[in-house]
Amino acid sequence: MWYFPRVAAIASLIGLSACVSSYSAAKPKTPDNLIPVVNLPTEGSSQNLTRFLADLPESTPNRELLAQSWDSYRQRFIQSDGRVIDYEASDRSTSEGQAYALLRAVLINDPTTFALTLNWSENNLQRQAGGKRTDSLWAWKWGRKEDGNWGVIDNNFASDADIDTITALILASRRWHQPEYLELAKLKLQDLWNLSTISKTQGKRYLLPGPVAAFVPDASTVYLNPSYFAPYAFRIFAQVDPQHDWLSLVDSSYQVLEDSAKLSKVGLPSDWVALNTKTGQYQTLPASSTLKSLYSFDSYRVWWRLSLDAAWFNSPQAKSYLVTSTQHLQKLWSKQSSLPARIDLQGKPLVDYEATSQYAMLYAAMQVVEPAIAQELLVKKILPQYKQGIWGDQSAYYTQNLAWLGLLPPKAIPQRLLK
């Protein structure tokens, strides 16, 4: 299927990485003139807010904030047809953004927004070759083309988005008794396994960040993104797709996370790592690469993903990793009550600004291993950035998603959805 030359594939890889990395390229800025954008009809918004509140257990911390911020996000970032807009990147849409909307919608029990978002994505993010759909995964980037028309700009897929989408579909099928969502999830699982996993070192199977042509630059090297690993999702996938060994991805994910953390003098996860499949050794990516081996906006999500595995499936591996790999950040926090948004693998701060998205993802991890620090992060760094349904910059869709997902208690959703 991937007929383009390897040079083109690697160039496409660089663009694919921008799905997340564009948020870390420079210090976030607040526009001088913020343009309020209201996409979904606001009629009945108060009723929606009441409904969202009702679907969160009364014991849920920050319950009203979670309901209000989701309602605000729906209105500001999601069009009436279900397209999620990234205002910081030429009004583009990404599979990542669509997936976050699906996941948040099912977690807060919003079937209407879920259906709209899924419908737009299925109709507009189809991956095609020669005018025909090639598989059920989604092209990662959609926006204004050079000719002025709107459509798919990059036909590659990003596996983290497909993982979040499939997880959302399975949970939605259980929550709303919609078997068609499960059938679509199973279809996507076949393609995700076939197109985005690879068997290499000693027969181990690894999750790739996208297509083989882009992330396997030569016969002995594989590029991996630790923040894409979602052990909790792989456990759920194994429940509905016994034909494939999804639990093997749980094992390889933790192996990569634990072994690649040794690249960091302070044990931090990295945005990107390279695995030598002949020696089994991990390496940083070349300095000349657009993909960087450092702790930054990608790797924040490691904390959240493993916190879900710890909370939903009581994973001892998740708890052990979170205890060990957060030590440097815990020490920094205890010393200065702040964390730089980007840190190199030697532990040196690379910027003098902070990131609400990091604090929210780390909050989820600290809820598992150090609740006192979690509370400090919440009070000192996360809540002060929240105002009228928005965290910080009103155009920052990435921050809105990570802040909300980090604050939502994993046990706020019914346990029956996980089995």
Side-chain angles (χ1 to χ4, degrees):
M1 180 193 321
W2 293 99
Y3 55 85
F4 43 80
R6 185 163 299 278
V7 172
I10 298 302
S12 185
L13 154 67
I14 293 172
L16 179 60
S17 73
C19 186
V20 169
S21 299
S22 62
Y23 300 98
S24 58
K27 180 176 180 179
K29 297 179 180 179
T30 302
D32 294 330
N33 298 305
L34 293 173
I35 302 174
V37 181
V38 179
N39 297 300
L40 287 179
T42 57
E43 295 84 353
S45 183
S46 61
Q47 290 90 334
N48 284 329
L49 185 57
T50 300
R51 178 167 57 83
F52 298 149
L53 271 172
D55 287 314
L56 290 172
E58 291 189 7
S59 60
T60 303
N62 307 298
R63 180 168 168 261
E64 291 189 6
L65 177 152
L66 289 165
Q68 180 191 54
S69 57
W70 169 242
D71 198 37
S72 176
Y73 186 83
R74 290 169 63 253
Q75 297 179 48
R76 183 175 299 276
F77 291 93
I78 307 179
Q79 285 186 163
S80 58
D81 62 356
R83 178 167 90 91
V84 179
I85 304 175
D86 181 355
Y87 295 107
E88 292 188 324
S90 303
D91 295 351
R92 73 178 182 182
S93 293
T94 62
S95 58
E96 173 197 70
Q98 300 300 124
Y100 284 148
L102 291 173
L103 196 57
R104 291 176 64 179
V106 71
L107 291 176
I108 204 168
N109 198 15
D110 182 353
T112 301
T113 303
F114 186 96
L116 287 170
T117 304
L118 179 62
N119 185 66
W120 186 90
S121 305
E122 282 291 298
N123 287 336
N124 293 277
L125 299 184
Q126 292 185 11
R127 286 168 20 90
Q128 298 186 357
K132 295 182 179 180
R133 190 164 190 174
T134 58
D135 53 71
S136 64
L137 304 181
W138 288 343
W140 84 269
K141 184 165 70 169
W142 186 100
R144 189 186 292 275
K145 302 178 181 180
E146 292 183 358
D147 62 7
N149 293 319
W150 291 76
V152 170
I153 298 174
D154 190 325
N155 201 44
N156 282 310
F157 64 88
S159 62
D160 63 330
D162 292 297
I163 288 168
D164 289 341
T165 294
I166 296 168
T167 303
L169 284 166
I170 295 171
L171 298 181
S173 73
R174 295 170 175 177
R175 181 155 217 168
W176 301 316
H177 307 290
Q178 298 283 353
E180 64 272 22
Y181 288 159
L182 180 58
E183 291 308 307
L184 180 57
K186 289 180 177 180
L187 182 64
K188 290 179 180 293
L189 281 172
Q190 309 306 308
D191 290 327
L192 183 68
W193 181 271
N194 291 332
L195 300 177
S196 196
T197 69
I198 189 170
S199 183
K200 280 288 184 178
T201 309
Q202 297 177 343
K204 288 186 178 294
R205 186 167 288 273
Y206 298 91
L207 173 79
L208 293 175
V212 171
F215 292 99
V216 184
D218 58 58
S220 62
T221 307
V222 176
Y223 290 160
L224 302 172
N225 188 315
S227 77
Y228 282 35
F229 299 143
Y232 61 91
F234 303 146
R235 298 185 201 277
I236 293 173
F237 296 171
Q239 297 170 3
V240 302
D241 180 26
Q243 296 177 344
H244 298 103
D245 189 7
W246 291 102
L247 295 183
S248 68
L249 291 187
V250 174
D251 296 335
S252 65
S253 293
Y254 279 111
Q255 180 201 349
V256 174
L257 285 164
E258 292 164 5
D259 291 349
S260 66
K262 297 173 185 176
L263 293 173
S264 170
K265 183 178 179 181
V266 292
L268 288 171
S270 177
D271 283 0
W272 293 91
V273 298
L275 169 63
N276 184 312
T277 57
K278 291 184 177 179
T279 66
Q281 298 299 307
Y282 292 87
Q283 304 166 332
T284 57
L285 271 66
S288 59
S289 173
T290 301
L291 308 180
K292 300 299 181 182
S293 295
L294 75 164
Y295 172 75
S296 186
F297 285 70
D298 271 30
S299 42
Y300 300 162
R301 297 180 302 176
V302 169
W303 311 133
W304 165 64
R305 293 198 187 279
L306 295 199
S307 74
L308 289 183
D309 201 33
W312 284 353
F313 295 100
N314 198 30
S315 166
Q317 288 175 293
K319 294 175 184 177
S320 175
Y321 181 89
L322 292 177
V323 168
T324 302
S325 288
T326 59
Q327 287 299 310
H328 180 65
L329 298 182
Q330 289 189 49
K331 290 176 182 177
L332 273 183
W333 176 258
S334 298
K335 180 180 179 181
Q336 60 194 36
S337 292
S338 65
L339 300 171
R342 306 178 81 183
I343 303 173
D344 72 16
L345 297 188
Q346 302 307 307
K348 177 185 176 182
L350 297 175
V351 295
D352 61 0
Y353 57 86
E354 303 165 63
T356 301
S357 51
Q358 177 183 193
Y359 290 129
M361 298 281 94
L362 188 60
Y363 170 83
M366 291 298 99
Q367 285 285 81
V368 176
V369 301
E370 208 58 62
I373 293 181
Q375 186 63 20
E376 290 178 6
L377 292 170
L378 178 69
V379 172
K380 295 181 179 180
K381 296 296 182 178
I382 303 173
L383 294 182
Q385 290 295 316
Y386 183 78
K387 184 178 180 181
Q388 296 180 336
I390 295 292
W391 278 278
D393 189 338
Q394 295 186 49
S395 62
Y397 110 101
Y398 189 63
T399 298
Q400 309 313 312
N401 285 300
L402 267 62
W404 194 92
L405 290 167
L407 286 191
L408 182 73
K411 295 187 178 180
I413 70 167
Q415 292 299 296
R416 63 179 175 81
L417 301 186
L418 303 177
K419 301 177 180 179

